[in-house]
């Protein structure tokens, strides 16, 4: 059956696959609709093909098979469409003025005579053109979204496709569906292949084989790999397509000639790279080699005397290892300082700062994430920036096909650059950083090599250390004060493959800052978490959830994953209040008072800060935590105040950048510290149950760590050092640099 109508209500929408439950008003009735409807909003006019079904609990529904978005027809429906928040700066008031002025002619004006919108009060000529551009872009984009749905390609990728191909996207894709592999991330090759075969492509078509090769390499990079063994690549492609190695080899040769892929010969094996990944590794090696071998023009002479003066002035007594690390910075243009918690990394950074500042040298502090940069600022008293902000690369890096080193980066004005949390820096970020460093500048890489590797491809810190081509100082002594912390003692025990210290083993002077609650039942673990978050810890140490406590979990899925924990914690700690507005978005309900996290870099969003003086700026970055202060239903926007006191207004259409943060994954917590960490541990995918994940989660706690969970799973994690090895070539290239 086919039904037409207007979407009146969104009951639920899955943010991953677009599965939607809503209410649609047709000429005859209001009907509940269920199915996959990505990129829709209340007020949209839809044509749906499907069938009526009877749900045992919810009654009569229309189950969607295919869909199409149609233009609204009446002035009232046009007004609702314009007011649904999809067009920035157009709320209900502006939408009403537009439709009052133009009536059913509104769509014609938007499409063909946009300057006439300036006749409406409150709309300038520039604003009129901006509104029309957004309307038409949204419309064209949605047509592409509907078309790409059969390829399993979601909204974000549809936007990338639209940017790359423009208004002719559908025609170009129908001519060659395989171009989608180059234009969209995380696409399903089998769906593209199925459509291509239906369009008449032969099974051994060269475009098909080349596409499969690039798809196989791209898929490997999603697991952190930079390269693939040539034999394994042939096996995978052969199984995927049902073609012979000879046919694959012809396509490999052609892709190699064009520079799309590169084959690196190492000892007995050949490794295949996508061109951009090989180039990034090669650039890193050349720049580290050149930087290391440049003249040491920033070296401080009379070093021992100068260092002693800084120690006396700062009232610091350095250990031999710390002094060795600082001396290594002075003697080398590039060096690595690595060690776990409590081994003195922060003190070293402070002394390096004081030492070079005393000689009028300019130092720059930076870290991969906003939280890590903020923590660096707090511990040193000096401003630290995110690498993205420092390099001004965010917008470029996040564009499709942007992993090529084909644009200029402004050089960093610094004598010494110190990068903290280096384990989080991936291949491309390291490439961009090194591109911005002048010859002669000192580069100090600080991090804990035993933490989780970067989310992006590569294992940069470990590869640099293992190459033995860069001076590395390993801090392995826990300082006396830190050794009193059971958090730090247990973190080091786990990192060395040992279980938590038992109560009877613990000495009297150890702080009571670590507790393990043995529990196997998931419901009871959830109850423990709720109890701790809503009163027990307040009584124990005056720890308020919203000021001090963070729940960190290994996984997104299941009863103890972030999705479900965020729901139950929100209901427990910030329940619905009848007199306050809420906003539902992509399956989440946002309320005033919610703890949230920014999950992508937004370099353009305007913010204000009113602490000592009034201050404004732009940019909120991935990993920043905030609290919802207000939900404005008239202007369709949400006000969020972040941890650094700045606040920004988010249009409803921008809420896909925000997630609840009552509970976060260990990966999201990396680079941050919290006064109290509660960490549930239960059975999950073995790839998540690793020693370095447990260790990373434990080291996020500053004052108190509570681990709740299954003793067997914890023992498994402590013994599971077989976290999947990443295939990279950086160590190999560094070892052979200059040969």
């Amino acid at each position: 059956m086919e039904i037409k109508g207007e979407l009146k209500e969104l009951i639920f929408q899955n943010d991953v696959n677009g599965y939607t439950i809503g209410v649609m008003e047709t000429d005859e009735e209001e009907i509940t609709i269920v199915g996959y409807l990505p990129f829709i909003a209340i007020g949209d006019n839809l044509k749906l093909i499907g069938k009526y079904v009877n749900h045992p609990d919810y009654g009569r529904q229309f189950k969607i098979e295919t869909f199409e978005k149609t233009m609204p027809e009446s002035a009232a429906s046009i007004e609702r469409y314009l007011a649904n928040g999809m067009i920035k700066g157009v709320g209900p008031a502006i939408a009403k003025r537009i439709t009052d002025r133009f009536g059913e002619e509104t769509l014609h004006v938007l499409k063909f005579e946009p300057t006439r919108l300036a006749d409406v009060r409150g709309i300038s000529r520039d604003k009129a053109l901006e509104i029309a551009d957004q309307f038409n872009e949204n419309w064209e984009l949605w047509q592409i979204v509907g078309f790409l749905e059969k390829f399993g390609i979601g909204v974000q990728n549809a936007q990338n496709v639209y940017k790359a191909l423009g208004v002719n996207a559908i025609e170009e894709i129908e001519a060659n569906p395989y171009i989608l592999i180059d234009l969209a991330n995380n696409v399903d090759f089998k769906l593209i292949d199925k459509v291509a075969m239906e369009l008449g492509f032969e099974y051994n078509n060269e475009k098909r084989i080349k596409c499969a090769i690039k798809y196989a390499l791209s898929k490997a990079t999603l697991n952190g790999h930079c390269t693939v063994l040539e034999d394994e690549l042939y096996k995978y492609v052969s199984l995927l397509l049902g073609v012979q190695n000879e046919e694959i080899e012809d396509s490999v040769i052609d892709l190699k000639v064009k520079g799309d892929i590169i084959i690196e010969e190492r000892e007995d094996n050949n490794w295949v790279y996508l061109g951009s990944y090989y180039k990034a590794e090669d650039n890193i090696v050349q720049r580290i080699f050149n930087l290391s071998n440049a003249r040491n023009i920033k070296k401080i002479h009379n070093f021992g005397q100068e260092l002693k003066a800084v120690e006396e002035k700062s009232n610091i007594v350095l250990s031999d290892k710390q002094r060795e690390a600082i001396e290594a910075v002075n003697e080398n243009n590039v060096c690595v300082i690595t060690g776990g918690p409590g081994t003195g990394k922060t003190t070293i950074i402070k002394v390096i700062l004081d030492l070079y500042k005393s000689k009028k040298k300019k130092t720059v502090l930076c870290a991969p994430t906003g939280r890590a940069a903020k923590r660096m600022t707090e511990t040193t008293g000096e401003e630290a920036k995110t690498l993205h902000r420092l390099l001004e690369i965010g917008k470029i890096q996040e564009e499709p096909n942007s992993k090529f080193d084909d644009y200029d980066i402004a050089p960093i004005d610094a004598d010494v650059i110190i990068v903290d949390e280096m384990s989080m820096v991936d291949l491309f970020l390291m490439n961009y950083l090194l591109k911005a460093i002048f010859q002669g500048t000192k580069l100090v890489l600080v991090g804990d090599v035993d933490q989780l590797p970067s989310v992006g491809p590569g294992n940069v810190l470990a590869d640099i250390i293992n190459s033995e081509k860069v001076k590395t100082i390993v801090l392995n002594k826990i300082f006396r004060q830190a050794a009193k912390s059971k958090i730090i003692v247990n973190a080091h025990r786990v990192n060395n493959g040992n279980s938590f210290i038992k109560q009877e083993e613990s000495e009297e002077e150890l702080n009571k800052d670590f507790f393990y609650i043995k529990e196997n039942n998931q419901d009871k673990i959830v109850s423990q978490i709720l109890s701790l978050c809503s009163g027990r810890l307040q009584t124990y140490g005056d720890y308020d959830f919203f000021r001090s406590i963070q729940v960190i979990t290994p996984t997104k899925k299941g009863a103890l994953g972030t999705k479900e924990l965020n729901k139950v914690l929100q209901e427990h700690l910030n329940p619905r209040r009848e007199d306050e507005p809420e906003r539902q978005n992509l399956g989440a309900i946002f309320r005033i008072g919610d703890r949230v996290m920014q999950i992508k870099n937004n370099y353009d969003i305007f913010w204000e800060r009113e602490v000592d003086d009034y201050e404004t700026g732009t940019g909120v970055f991935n990993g920043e935590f905030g609290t919802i202060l207000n939900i404005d239903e008239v202007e369709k926007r949400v006000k969020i105040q972040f941890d650094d006191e700045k606040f920004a207004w988010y249009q409803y259409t921008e809420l896909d950048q925000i997630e609840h943060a009552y509970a976060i994954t260990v990966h999201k917590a990396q680079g941050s510290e919290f006064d109290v960490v509660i960490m549930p541990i239960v059975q999950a995918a073995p790839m998540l149950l690793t020693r370095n994940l447990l260790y990373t989660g434990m080291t996020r706690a500053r004052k108190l760590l509570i681990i709740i969970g299954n003793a067997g799973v914890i023992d498994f994690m402590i013994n599971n050092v077989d976290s999947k090895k990443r295939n990279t070539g950086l160590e190999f290239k560094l070892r052979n640099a200059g040969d």
Side-chain angles (χ1 to χ4, degrees):
M1 288 190 66
E2 176 183 296
I3 62 172
K4 295 180 181 179
E6 182 181 332
L7 187 66
K8 303 294 287 186
E9 183 183 352
L10 268 177
I11 298 169
F12 169 79
Q13 189 170 56
N14 184 294
D15 55 345
V16 176
N17 60 20
Y19 183 80
T20 301
I21 303 171
V23 176
M24 191 166 90
E25 183 179 71
T26 69
D27 290 340
E28 293 81 27
E29 62 176 338
E30 282 195 354
I31 181 72
T32 300
I33 58 173
V34 294
Y36 295 95
L37 284 175
F39 201 58
I40 62 165
I42 292 168
D44 283 347
N45 286 253
L46 304 170
K47 180 171 75 175
L48 307 177
I49 296 173
K51 60 184 178 182
Y52 287 101
V53 295
N54 275 302
H55 191 281
D57 296 322
Y58 303 111
R60 187 166 173 265
Q61 299 176 336
F62 189 82
K63 189 174 181 181
I64 304 160
E65 292 178 7
T66 61
F67 61 92
E68 183 182 327
K69 192 171 182 178
T70 60
M71 282 287 187
E73 295 175 358
S74 69
S77 62
I78 294 170
E79 180 186 333
R80 285 192 294 274
Y81 177 80
L82 292 176
N84 68 14
M86 298 302 292
I87 299 176
K88 191 174 182 180
V90 177
I94 294 286
K96 188 172 191 316
R97 283 185 220 148
I98 291 172
T99 50
D100 283 351
R101 176 73 177 79
F102 300 111
E104 294 182 7
E105 194 188 5
T106 300
L107 294 181
H108 173 83
V109 171
L110 284 163
K111 282 173 120 4
F112 304 111
E113 300 179 86
T115 55
R116 290 177 61 192
L117 292 172
D119 296 344
V120 175
R121 180 169 55 86
I123 300 180
S124 65
R125 179 184 171 84
D126 287 346
K127 184 68 176 174
L129 294 172
E130 187 182 323
I131 289 170
D133 283 346
Q134 281 193 57
F135 172 84
N136 288 311
E137 183 175 323
N138 283 348
W139 187 255
E140 289 166 358
L141 173 59
W142 208 90
Q143 302 307 305
I144 295 170
V145 167
F147 172 72
L148 292 178
E149 191 254 351
K150 63 185 174 185
F151 295 98
I153 292 176
V155 177
Q156 183 60 51
N157 276 328
Q159 290 174 321
N160 293 341
V161 172
Y162 176 76
K163 286 176 186 175
L165 301 180
V167 293
N168 297 320
I170 292 174
E171 290 83 353
E172 290 200 38
I173 293 165
E174 285 178 334
N176 179 15
Y178 295 113
I179 61 174
L180 290 171
I181 289 290
D182 291 326
L183 299 176
N185 299 318
N186 306 339
V187 296
D188 186 337
F189 174 84
K190 290 179 182 177
L191 281 174
I192 293 174
D193 196 40
K194 180 175 180 288
V195 174
M197 297 308 242
E198 289 169 356
L199 290 169
F201 277 73
E202 295 290 335
Y203 84 100
N204 59 351
N205 183 287
E206 188 181 40
K207 289 176 182 174
R208 180 177 186 243
I209 298 172
K210 287 179 181 176
C211 173
I213 291 166
K214 289 194 279 188
Y215 168 73
L217 293 170
S218 296
K219 193 172 180 184
T221 66
L222 296 178
N223 292 318
H225 302 300
C226 298
T227 184
V228 172
L229 274 168
E230 187 174 36
D231 289 348
E232 295 298 322
L233 176 67
Y234 274 67
K235 284 179 193 173
Y236 182 87
V237 173
S238 179
L239 282 170
L240 183 67
L241 302 183
V243 295
Q244 300 300 312
N245 279 1
E246 294 77 18
E247 294 166 309
I248 300 170
E249 187 175 6
D250 290 342
S251 291
V252 164
I253 291 168
D254 196 40
L255 287 169
K256 184 181 173 185
V257 168
K258 291 177 179 175
D260 289 344
I261 65 171
I262 291 173
I263 299 176
E264 181 175 72
E265 296 181 11
R266 295 188 222 156
E267 299 162 356
D268 298 330
N269 292 312
N270 287 346
W271 292 84
V272 186
Y273 287 81
L274 287 170
S276 57
Y277 286 77
Y278 183 90
K279 191 173 182 182
E281 280 191 354
D282 197 50
N283 287 343
I284 289 170
V285 171
Q286 293 305 318
R287 288 167 182 153
I288 286 179
F289 181 80
N290 292 338
L291 202 57
S292 296
N293 289 286
R295 196 160 61 88
N296 189 355
I297 58 177
K298 311 296 182 184
K299 181 176 180 177
I300 294 173
H301 300 287
N302 302 318
F303 173 77
Q305 188 178 331
E306 297 288 349
L307 181 59
K308 187 176 180 182
V310 169
E311 282 187 85
E312 289 174 355
K313 185 178 178 182
S314 306
N315 197 25
I316 291 173
V317 179
L318 295 169
S319 70
D320 291 343
K321 205 72 173 174
Q322 286 176 313
R323 196 171 283 108
E324 182 187 348
I326 297 162
E327 188 171 356
V329 172
N330 194 51
E331 294 294 329
N332 299 274
N333 286 334
V334 185
C335 72
V336 172
I337 300 169
T338 184
T343 57
K345 296 192 298 293
T346 300
T347 299
I348 291 170
I349 292 172
K350 285 180 183 175
V351 173
I352 292 169
L353 284 171
D354 290 342
L355 185 63
Y356 285 91
K357 278 172 64 180
S358 73
K359 306 305 290 182
K360 303 290 189 288
K361 304 288 187 187
K362 183 175 180 181
T363 54
V364 167
L365 302 179
C366 53
T369 66
R371 292 283 292 189
K374 182 185 176 190
R375 186 158 61 88
M376 204 178 185
T377 299
E378 290 168 350
T379 55
T380 64
E382 300 286 334
E383 183 192 9
K385 293 182 177 180
T386 66
L387 283 165
H388 287 82
R389 174 64 90 182
L390 178 67
L391 301 170
E392 299 178 349
I393 60 168
K395 293 180 188 176
I396 301 169
Q397 190 188 13
E398 287 159 16
E399 291 293 316
N401 294 328
S402 64
K403 295 184 175 70
F404 292 89
D405 191 37
D406 58 356
Y407 58 88
D408 293 327
I409 294 177
I412 301 167
D413 178 19
D415 296 302
V416 182
I417 299 169
I418 304 174
V419 188
D420 200 9
E421 296 289 353
M422 256 305 295
S423 62
M424 300 176 70
V425 176
D426 68 23
L427 179 75
F428 292 103
L429 195 51
M430 188 64 179
N431 183 28
Y432 300 139
L433 171 63
L434 288 166
K435 188 172 184 180
I437 297 177
F438 281 117
Q439 292 293 297
T441 300
K442 287 186 176 292
L443 177 62
V444 185
L445 307 176
V446 183
D448 185 346
V449 75
D450 294 315
Q451 286 191 28
L452 290 168
S454 56
V455 174
N459 200 2
V460 174
L461 180 61
D463 282 352
I464 290 173
I465 292 171
N466 294 336
S467 74
E468 300 179 346
K469 283 297 182 81
V470 174
K471 179 66 176 179
T472 299
I473 305 298
V474 179
L475 306 172
N476 47 25
K477 177 190 172 186
I478 307 175
F479 280 83
R480 186 178 301 168
Q481 192 61 35
K484 292 181 180 179
S485 166
K486 284 179 74 178
I487 297 172
I488 290 175
V489 170
N490 278 320
H492 282 276
R493 284 177 68 97
V494 164
N495 198 37
N496 292 325
N498 300 314
S499 300
F500 305 147
I501 191 168
K502 292 185 172 61
Q503 192 62 44
E504 56 270 21
E505 293 175 22
S506 98
E507 299 177 23
E508 285 301 318
E509 75 236 24
L510 285 180
N511 298 333
K512 293 184 177 178
D513 59 0
F514 174 93
F515 296 94
Y516 167 49
I517 301 171
K518 187 175 179 180
E519 182 56 71
N520 297 334
N521 183 284
Q522 291 198 7
D523 291 338
K524 289 181 179 178
I525 294 174
V526 172
S527 296
Q528 289 270 18
I529 292 170
L530 294 177
S531 171
L532 288 162
C533 291
S534 59
R536 277 166 66 192
L537 287 173
Q538 186 87 53
T539 305
Y540 176 77
D542 195 26
Y543 294 122
D544 171 73
F545 179 84
F546 289 96
R547 281 188 288 106
S548 307
I549 303 170
Q550 183 62 56
V551 178
I552 297 176
T553 177
T555 180
K556 293 181 180 180
K557 298 176 181 177
L560 290 163
T562 54
K563 295 279 187 187
E564 291 304 317
L565 280 176
N566 271 314
K567 288 178 185 175
V568 297
L569 283 164
Q570 182 197 37
E571 284 306 311
H572 209 73
L573 299 166
N574 191 28
R576 175 177 173 78
R577 293 174 287 276
E578 291 297 329
D579 57 336
E580 287 188 358
E582 295 182 345
R583 173 62 184 174
Q584 190 175 64
N585 190 73
L586 302 176
I589 298 171
F590 291 107
R591 296 179 182 141
I592 294 170
D594 274 346
R595 174 188 282 178
V596 293
M597 175 192 276
Q598 179 83 8
I599 59 168
K600 58 179 76 169
N601 290 330
N602 183 335
Y603 285 78
D604 299 319
I605 194 165
F606 176 79
W607 55 258
E608 302 168 83
R609 186 187 285 121
E610 299 170 343
V611 182
D612 299 322
D613 297 313
Y614 178 73
E615 184 185 358
T616 64
T618 57
V620 178
F621 303 103
N622 187 2
E624 291 197 51
F625 287 79
T627 303
I628 294 178
L629 297 185
N630 190 15
I631 297 175
D632 185 339
E633 292 183 298
V634 176
E635 294 297 327
K636 298 188 179 298
R637 57 184 189 160
V638 173
K639 184 180 183 181
I640 299 173
Q641 181 168 314
F642 291 89
D643 283 357
D644 59 359
E645 304 298 326
K646 68 173 177 275
F647 65 86
W649 285 97
Y650 285 69
Q651 299 293 322
Y652 282 178
T653 53
E654 298 174 312
L655 289 179
D656 62 337
Q657 301 175 30
I658 295 295
E659 279 184 358
H660 285 118
Y662 295 90
I664 60 176
T665 62
V666 176
H667 285 88
K668 284 289 186 187
Q670 198 168 357
S672 302
E673 276 190 351
F674 309 93
D675 284 349
V676 181
V677 167
I678 301 171
M679 193 174 177
I681 302 289
V682 289
Q683 194 64 54
M687 63 182 291
L688 293 173
L689 300 177
T690 62
R691 181 188 294 177
N692 61 359
L693 186 135
L694 178 60
Y695 171 74
T696 302
M698 293 173 69
T699 53
R700 300 310 91 206
R702 187 187 290 122
K703 295 180 180 177
L704 181 62
L705 171 63
I706 301 168
I707 294 179
I708 313 171
N710 184 301
V713 176
I714 292 169
D715 286 342
F716 176 84
M717 293 179 81
I718 291 170
N719 292 313
N720 183 16
V721 289
D722 300 324
S723 50
K724 192 157 183 157
K725 184 181 182 302
R726 294 188 168 188
N727 295 328
T728 71
L730 186 59
E731 179 187 338
F732 170 80
K733 291 182 180 68
L734 278 167
R735 281 185 179 276
N736 293 284
D739 291 353

